[in-house]
Structures are given as structure tokens and as C-alpha cells.
Amino acid sequence: MNLITRFNKKCKDFLVLILSLFMVQQHLSAQEVIPIESVTNALVLEVDEDKNVKIIYFGERLSNPNEYGEVPSVYNQTGHYSENLNAAYMPSGSHNLMEPAITVTHADGNTSLDLRYVAHKQESIDANVDLFTVELKDPVYPFSVKLFYKVYKNEDVFEQWCTISHKEKKDVQLHKFASANLYLKSGTFWLTQYHGDWAEEMQPEVSRLTHGIKTLDSKLGTRANLLQPPVFMLGIGRAPEEDTGDVIFGAMEWSGNFRIDMELDVEDNLRVIAGMNNFSSVYHLKSGETFETPKFLYLLSHNGKGEASRKMHDWARKYKLLDGSGDRLTLLNNWEATYFDFNEQKLFSLIKDTKELGVDLFLLDDGWFANKYPRDGDYAGLGDWEVNKSKLPNGIASLVKESKNNGVKFGIWIEPEMVNPKSRLYETHPDWVIKQPKREEHYFRNQLVLDLSNPEVQDFVFHVVDQLFVENPELAYIKWDCNAVIYNAYSSYLKQQSHLYIEYVKGLYSVLKRIREKYPLVPMMLCSGGGGRVDYAALQYFTEFWPSDNTDPLERIFLQWEYSHFYPSIATSNHVTEWGNQPIKFRVDVAMMGKLGFDIVVHELPEKELVFCQQAIKCYNDIKGVIWYGDQYRLADPKVNNVAALMYVDDEQDRAIVFSYLVNNRFNKKSEVPIALKGLDPAKKYRVREINLYPGAVTKVDESVVYSGEFLMKVGYNPLVDASRTSVILEVMAIEN
């Protein structure tokens, strides 16, 4: 190659380099502002001149996207030393002074991290769903983070998560690894959080956030929501209200330990950092490996909690809940009729009761398995999933056959993640059990947890479910329970013990995914001694969940009210039981606000009560479509009113179902004033009638009167609830003008 040729080549290479740099700069300049928009709202990122990615706006969408770049200029808040309070994903160890989203130790022992913009892209998943990816890299270490923003435009729902990877020579330790990092501006922030325990789930608390960090978290391993569910609300400027104000709903999609930090910073802005809990969970990330965090979902409503709920329900039915637009089975459960004390003939009798009652399915609960250590109580047998020959000499098949002969379906209870120390499984595979090898065992309901980080255990749990279907192809329903939490966390399988809490949940999802691949639409209830494991990652595999073992109908009004903020009624299993002192009509009416079931001794019901239940099931089958798929409106809060009221309205605004209950029995309280309805068409005419009446009861509702939708929403309607009629269900039907 001669000198001129070499010179020309060098010039050409130099020109290509200059051109490529110019194109990169042009690309960066053109993408300095990154709007992530739904129909109503926009989350806006900005890439500054140093390639830091920051959140500059989360609020109502602007018609001119070019104006998003002007948002920072209209704020005149005190500057901050770190200059990165609004980072889109806050790293630690560099110039950050606040709570980080990610903390690492590099292969060389260095604990600093800096994340700078590399590129971003937008993909259209379908007409309603967009996925934005923002790539960040450390300028010193070969360490990368990709931020993912999935926006469901019509529902105004955002899902956020990230992937973390590196190409360093040895493992990098991840000490914190949040899914999302939000930055919110307002004068004040009001948090609605929840706490609970067994039979006391979803107890709300409202407080104004003050400076410092408020943390919502769980460290239970399994049944992680028992004391603190992973859902919350933020009122922007004032406490969350039903129909007015800016409200953010947030929820972690993760069935294990979670952590949500809320830090009000020196500028009075709020930083929300949400993800898996890093408690005892340092993750050793290998070179070339990718660590993916779970999704954090959030939505912003400008019309209060009610609008936020309806949008979340729509999103859940369309995109998360298994078969969210499908049908559901009403059922009779044997638990409160028999507990562990039953045999084949007793169950045959209950199956006949199922037919007489008029529900779709008979559900056999705990106690049907184990022989060496029979499952006659909660102290033995768990883990030994062979049919108990003493109770069921002809196996599960005889119950499936008897159910079919009676024109009903058959379902069964399992708790395959757990084991009693008094079991063959424990004796055979003590290495499959989560427990410290040198410490005394500590039990939760006489149980220990199986190690689902172990692929052999995953195969075992899958086989428990698969074998039931192989032996009983007509099995129609599974109730999946989970009662224990993790004590003495230790895995005989894992080399890195700090991975256990993470790998357990990933192992659970792996099993559930295998089950759904083979049995895609079999209804399954997500149960965990009540609402101890309810989240949208788990509900991808389940058709419904069990909110609480507390089935006292008065308590259930409060429980179901709070759950209704985040979960649609089609996913909420409500059973009629003997709990509480309320009449059978009250109990049934409360259970109708979701997926109806029964857990009663049918043949012991007085004749009128049996007739009422039979009629109620027919009524429910007529109205369930409105309840499951309609828009929900909370009308009268049981926490502050003598009467609780809630309604569902169909898409055409032609039919609505209104539930009203007396929740204060003191001082002869009643519905003294009309209750304003919601969601109707103000221009339409409606007729109101009472439904689901007890046999012989006479309604107090004048069904001849016609009301405008405007009247019913502005003036309201009185359901005439009092001590003589403690629960009332109204049907509001549009008529021809």
C-alpha cells in the first residue's frame, strides 16, 4: 500500500469517525427528552449534557410534547449538592447522597457506580401497549443496566423493571437492586398503606409523609403479604379521596420479600424506590449473566381512588389475571362442615348437597392424604400426597365420579410447598427442607417450607399437581394453599445462601409456569391462610384469590372494600360460612360482591334458608356478569358511615347492581339520607327494584317510579336499610324513554 493510498484510507476512516460521532450527537440531541405517554399521563425522562438520565415530569399528558423540555425551567427550588436527586435510576457510591436504587461491589472490591445514557428505543407491542428501553452503562466498569417502561395506554398503567449485567472478570455483588425509581413533585404527599395478620388483612392507615424514609417491606420469604401487603396509594397534595384529587396507586408484582422506600428529600420532593427486598439477599452476579428484577406497577388518576381502581381492574382483567374475561365456578367447600373428620360416605352426602344447593363444584379441602402419618390434623402428613386409604378407600376417582353423577364438578385442596416434620417426605428428604443444619427447628402451623430453589423439589411439586390430573382427568379446580413462612433460612442445595429468598420465588414461578403450560385454563385459587400471598405476578397463574380466612360477613365488608381498590371482583373469592351472627341473607349478599362460594352444612339449613340460598344462586348467575366485568363504584365507606354501599355498572350504562349493608347496629341506625349513585348515564331513565329477597319478605322499594340518571347521581336513592333489613341489593335498569 503506497503512501497516498494510506493517507486516503486514514482520511476516510477519520471522516467516518467524525460522521459517526456527529450522528451519535445528533441522535442524543434529538432524544434529550424521552416522553413515555399513556392516554392521560406522561412520565418524561431527560438526558442531560453529561448523559445523566433524569425524571423531569410525571403528570397529565401535554398536547405539545415539545413543551416537556421546559418543565424544569418553571421550578425554582433550592439546588442540591449531588445534582442527581431526580435520577431515573439512582446508583450509589459516586456523587449520590440519598437512598439508592442500586448498590454494588465490583469484582475488584470497588463500591462506586455511575450510570450514564447509552441509547433508548420504543417498541409497539400492540395498539395499546408500548415498551420503552433505556440503556445505561458505567463509564469506568463494563457494567450495564437496562430500564424498561411498559405503558398500557388506555388504562394509564405503567410497569417498570430493569435488567443488570456486567463483563467484569469475576462476580459482582448486588447489594440493592430495585425495579423502579420514581420522582414526584408536590407540596405534600399522603400515604395510604396496609397492615394485617391472619384474619385481619388489609387494615388501612393514612399518614402524611415527612422528611426521611418510610419503608414498606416484608421479610417472611413465603406468604410474604401476611403482615404488610405490597400495595399502596399516594395522595398528591391531600389524602386520597374517592372521586377527586391526584392519586397514585403502586404495587410490586412479586410473591416474596419486597421493599418500597419513600424518601421525602431536601427539596420536598418524593423519591419512590420499589423492588425485591435486599434483606439477606446479596446477589453474586456472574460475568455475562443477566439479573432481571420483578415488575413494579403504578398508575396516576386525576379523579381520585375510584377512577384508579376502575383502570386497574380493567388492566388486570385484560393483561394479568388468568382468564380475566372468562367464567368462574360457584362452589361448596367441605372445610367447615367436616374439618379433618370425614370419610367417603360423608363426602358423597356433601356432593349431593352441592347438587341440591345449585352450585357448580364440590371442593374437597385439607385432610384427604397421607397414610403412614395420616392427615387427621395439621400436625402430620403434609408432603405425603398419596390418598388416605382409611378415609378414601376408592381414591379421589370415586369422588370425581360421584360428582359427575350428581351433575357437578370436583376440585381439591393442596399445599405442595410445605411439609410436616411428621411425614415420610421429611424422613426421606430432609435435604429438601429449608432449615438451618445446626439450629433447633421452629415451626409455623407445625410446618416447614420445602426448598423450591432446588430443581428436584420443583419437579416434586409439579408432580403433585400433575399426578392428580393424570389420575383424575376430569378434576376441575385446585385450591393452592401456603401457610408457613421461612424461619432459619438455609438451603442444602444453594452454594450462595444469600440467593435463597430470590431463588425460592423464581422456583415457585417455574413450577406454576409448567403447570399452566400443561393445564392452561383449569381454575385455581391462590390461597395463603387468607391473603398472605396476593400480587399480580402470582395472579398470572391463578383465576382467583382467597382474601382472608375471616369470613364474618360484617368484617368481610371492610376487607373486601379495601381489596376492591386494587383487585377486580372476579378475582375475589367470597364464601358464605357460619362465621358471625348475621342472618343468612346478609352473609350471602356480602359474598355476592365477588366470586361466590359456600362453606356450610347444607342439609342442616332450615327449609327457608335453603330455598333462599338456591334462589340467591340463580339471582347471582343472572347478575354476576355486571359484578365481574362492570365498572365498580364505591358509594358509602363503612369506616365512616352507618351504611356501606358499593355498585357495579355495565359498559352500556343500562344495568347496575347496588349493594347496601347496615354496619352500625347502635342507636337504631339506618339509611337516613339517600346515597348518590355513580356511573349512570344522566340522560337515561332508570327503574329501581330490589332483588335477592328472602322468601316471604316484602320489598319497601317502590318499583313503579322512574328516575333519570341525573337524579340518581345528584340526589341519590335510599335503599331503606335498617335493623329489619340489614342488607339490600338493588338492580337499576335503563328503560325506553
Side-chain angles (χ1 to χ4, degrees):
M1 186 183 294
N2 60 37
L3 188 60
I4 294 175
T5 303
R6 265 191 243 163
F7 177 80
N8 288 337
K9 185 177 184 303
K10 285 184 181 281
C11 287
K12 183 179 179 182
D13 291 345
F14 180 74
L15 287 172
V16 168
L17 177 60
I18 293 297
L19 183 61
S20 64
L21 288 172
F22 175 78
M23 291 177 66
V24 168
Q25 183 60 41
Q26 286 292 97
H27 172 74
L28 181 58
S29 298
Q31 302 296 336
E32 284 184 342
V33 174
I34 307 170
I36 303 171
E37 296 179 316
S38 66
V39 167
T40 308
N41 298 314
L43 175 69
V44 183
L45 309 180
E46 180 186 65
V47 183
D48 69 16
E49 59 184 8
D50 295 320
K51 299 186 181 180
N52 295 301
V53 182
K54 299 181 177 182
I55 300 171
I56 61 169
Y57 183 72
F58 185 40
E60 286 192 80
R61 178 175 179 169
L62 302 181
S63 56
N64 180 3
N66 293 325
E67 289 192 302
Y68 289 127
E70 300 301 321
V71 171
S73 68
V74 298
Y75 284 88
N76 191 27
Q77 294 175 300
T78 303
H80 187 254
Y81 321 110
S82 68
E83 299 180 353
N84 68 344
L85 287 180
N86 61 339
Y89 195 71
M90 182 80 78
S92 68
S94 52
H95 57 102
N96 169 44
L97 300 175
M98 310 299 285
E99 183 64 27
I102 181 170
T103 304
V104 308
T105 299
H106 294 283
D108 63 3
N110 192 291
T111 58
S112 69
L113 184 63
D114 194 5
L115 295 173
R116 302 298 177 98
Y117 174 88
V118 176
H120 78 276
K121 64 179 179 179
Q122 176 183 354
E123 303 170 73
S124 179
I125 306 300
D126 58 38
N128 187 49
V129 183
D130 286 340
L131 177 63
F132 291 78
T133 306
V134 180
E135 185 177 356
L136 310 174
K137 283 188 178 180
D138 190 304
V140 175
Y141 288 90
F143 187 98
S144 300
V145 173
K146 287 185 179 179
L147 307 179
F148 296 90
Y149 301 84
K150 194 173 188 179
V151 55
Y152 302 82
K153 290 178 283 191
N154 289 330
E155 295 76 24
D156 288 322
V157 169
F158 292 76
E159 283 185 309
Q160 192 174 337
W161 72 100
C162 72
T163 58
I164 304 168
S165 61
H166 74 92
K167 294 182 179 179
E168 300 185 28
K169 294 181 179 180
K170 296 181 180 179
D171 292 0
V172 169
Q173 295 180 35
L174 306 182
H175 301 283
K176 190 173 184 183
F177 28 83
S179 299
N181 185 164
L182 289 179
Y183 187 73
L184 310 171
K185 288 180 176 288
S186 174
T188 57
F189 300 90
W190 292 80
L191 170 68
T192 301
Q193 65 183 94
Y194 296 88
H195 69 96
D197 202 344
W198 178 82
E200 297 180 0
E201 292 87 351
M202 290 297 286
Q203 303 297 307
E205 291 180 318
V206 182
S207 60
R208 178 176 172 175
L209 288 172
T210 57
H211 291 88
I213 298 178
K214 173 76 174 183
T215 298
L216 312 179
D217 76 337
S218 170
K219 302 179 180 73
L220 305 183
T222 62
R223 202 181 176 187
N225 303 353
L226 178 62
L227 307 179
Q228 176 89 65
V231 293
F232 65 90
M233 305 177 207
L234 283 172
I236 310 300
R238 57 180 168 173
E241 297 180 5
E242 189 64 34
D243 298 307
T244 58
D246 292 341
V247 180
I248 293 175
F249 277 21
M252 275 305 305
E253 298 180 42
W254 180 245
S255 305
N257 296 343
F258 63 88
R259 175 175 170 179
I260 302 167
D261 294 320
M262 301 181 190
E263 182 175 31
L264 193 64
D265 66 25
V266 67
E267 294 182 350
D268 298 325
N269 301 320
L270 186 66
R271 304 173 62 252
V272 179
I273 300 171
M276 287 186 272
N277 201 332
N278 55 331
F279 165 75
S280 294
S281 296
V282 175
Y283 195 88
H284 299 256
L285 186 66
K286 298 181 183 301
S287 182
E289 179 187 0
T290 297
F291 181 89
E292 182 171 329
T293 68
K295 295 178 175 66
F296 173 64
L297 77 91
Y298 50 95
L299 68 88
L300 169 62
S301 164
H302 306 287
N303 297 293
K305 298 185 293 183
E307 180 184 77
S309 291
R310 290 185 288 278
K311 288 182 176 181
M312 184 167 277
H313 297 171
D314 285 346
W315 169 82
R317 287 189 296 257
K318 292 175 186 174
Y319 296 104
K320 282 294 172 178
L321 180 64
L322 183 69
D323 197 24
S325 60
D327 202 358
R328 296 293 185 270
L329 299 170
T330 54
L331 60 84
L332 176 66
N333 193 0
N334 74 298
W335 180 244
E336 293 197 15
T338 66
Y339 295 100
F340 293 100
D341 182 19
F342 58 81
N343 56 34
E344 188 177 74
Q345 290 307 310
K346 189 180 285 189
L347 295 181
F348 280 2
S349 175
L350 292 174
I351 289 171
K352 289 181 173 63
D353 286 347
T354 307
K355 173 65 174 177
E356 184 176 12
L357 183 61
V359 293
D360 302 315
L361 177 137
F362 173 72
L363 173 62
L364 175 60
D365 215 291
D366 196 357
W368 57 268
F369 51 91
N371 290 294
K372 181 177 180 181
Y373 302 105
R375 184 69 170 173
D376 296 326
D378 66 6
Y379 51 83
L382 195 59
D384 299 345
W385 296 102
E386 75 272 0
V387 176
N388 182 281
K389 296 177 182 177
S390 176
K391 294 179 181 179
L392 302 173
N394 297 301
I396 298 299
S398 66
L399 302 176
V400 177
K401 182 179 179 181
E402 184 68 13
S403 298
K404 187 175 183 179
N405 291 341
N406 281 274
V408 297
K409 298 182 179 185
F410 179 81
I412 201 165
W413 176 97
I414 56 173
E415 192 178 5
E417 300 169 67
M418 308 298 164
V419 63
N420 287 128
K422 194 173 182 180
S423 67
R424 284 196 307 109
L425 179 65
Y426 181 90
E427 293 174 346
T428 307
H429 289 289
D431 56 314
W432 284 8
V433 179
I434 294 176
K435 59 175 185 171
Q436 286 284 348
K438 297 180 181 180
R439 301 195 184 278
E440 182 180 356
E441 294 177 358
H442 189 70
Y443 307 127
F444 194 110
R445 202 190 176 202
N446 303 307
Q447 297 175 197
L448 293 169
V449 181
L450 293 177
D451 181 8
L452 276 176
S453 72
N454 185 337
E456 285 187 314
V457 178
Q458 294 174 29
D459 289 342
F460 168 80
V461 174
F462 172 78
H463 181 74
V464 169
V465 180
D466 188 44
Q467 194 63 28
L468 281 169
F469 283 109
V470 169
E471 295 176 356
N472 308 282
E474 294 182 89
L475 183 64
Y477 188 92
I478 295 288
K479 178 181 177 182
W480 184 301
D481 214 341
C482 167
N483 283 291
V485 301
I486 292 178
Y487 294 119
N488 294 322
Y490 180 85
S491 167
S492 298
Y493 170 76
L494 290 175
K495 293 181 180 179
Q496 296 288 357
Q497 292 303 311
S498 61
H499 292 194
L500 176 57
Y501 286 123
I502 298 171
E503 295 301 330
Y504 181 92
V505 180
K506 290 168 67 175
L508 171 65
Y509 292 161
S510 177
V511 172
L512 292 171
K513 184 178 179 181
R514 288 172 65 186
I515 291 169
R516 282 311 179 193
E517 286 173 351
K518 190 168 184 181
Y519 308 102
L521 292 177
V522 174
M524 292 207 310
M525 179 200 290
L526 175 61
C527 182
S528 189
R533 178 194 277 166
V534 184
D535 66 88
Y536 278 116
L539 282 173
Q540 295 176 94
Y541 305 103
F542 292 86
T543 49
E544 57 221 58
F545 72 93
W546 184 237
S548 178
D549 282 348
N550 186 344
T551 53
D552 181 313
L554 187 59
E555 296 291 347
R556 269 294 184 127
I557 290 171
F558 292 82
L559 279 164
Q560 291 168 200
W561 181 276
E562 299 303 334
Y563 274 114
S564 77
H565 288 98
F566 303 97
Y567 303 103
S569 58
I570 191 173
T572 309
S573 293
N574 305 326
H575 288 186
V576 179
T577 73
E578 297 299 326
W579 281 47
N581 299 315
Q582 291 76 24
I584 188 71
K585 173 172 166 52
F586 191 98
R587 286 182 272 153
V588 172
D589 286 357
V590 172
M592 278 187 171
M593 293 191 300
K595 207 227 73 171
L596 177 64
F598 290 80
D599 201 334
I600 56 177
V601 184
V602 175
H603 59 263
E604 292 181 1
L605 289 174
E607 183 179 355
K608 269 193 173 182
E609 291 194 2
L610 176 59
V611 170
F612 168 73
C613 289
Q614 292 168 331
Q615 293 175 350
I617 292 165
K618 293 177 182 178
C619 175
Y620 177 75
N621 286 334
D622 178 54
I623 65 176
K624 65 185 182 183
V626 181
I627 297 168
W628 291 351
Y629 313 123
D631 284 336
Q632 173 197 271
Y633 294 88
R634 290 178 292 268
L635 308 179
D637 190 337
K639 298 188 294 298
V640 295
N641 295 287
N642 297 318
V643 173
L646 183 146
M647 71 184 288
Y648 299 89
V649 185
D650 70 7
D651 289 343
E652 293 76 26
Q653 298 174 294
D654 286 338
R655 192 183 191 194
I657 307 299
V658 184
F659 296 90
S660 301
Y661 309 97
L662 185 67
V663 293
N664 182 2
N665 295 317
R666 303 181 66 203
F667 309 122
N668 197 31
K669 292 298 182 182
K670 56 187 176 182
S671 55
E672 297 173 339
V673 298
I675 297 171
L677 306 189
K678 300 175 185 177
L680 303 176
D681 184 334
K684 287 185 177 180
K685 300 295 184 182
Y686 294 92
R687 199 181 299 276
V688 181
R689 73 182 183 102
E690 185 175 356
I691 59 176
N692 208 40
L693 287 161
Y694 193 78
V698 178
T699 182
K700 293 183 179 181
V701 173
D702 185 348
E703 299 179 4
S704 66
V705 182
V706 174
Y707 303 90
S708 69
E710 180 187 35
F711 180 94
L712 292 172
M713 292 190 292
K714 289 184 176 179
V715 178
Y717 190 87
N718 197 321
L720 302 175
V721 173
D722 57 34
S724 67
R725 38 190 278 125
T726 54
S727 65
V728 173
I729 303 179
L730 301 175
E731 180 187 55
V732 182
M733 286 287 290
I735 61 172
E736 294 294 332
N737 290 327

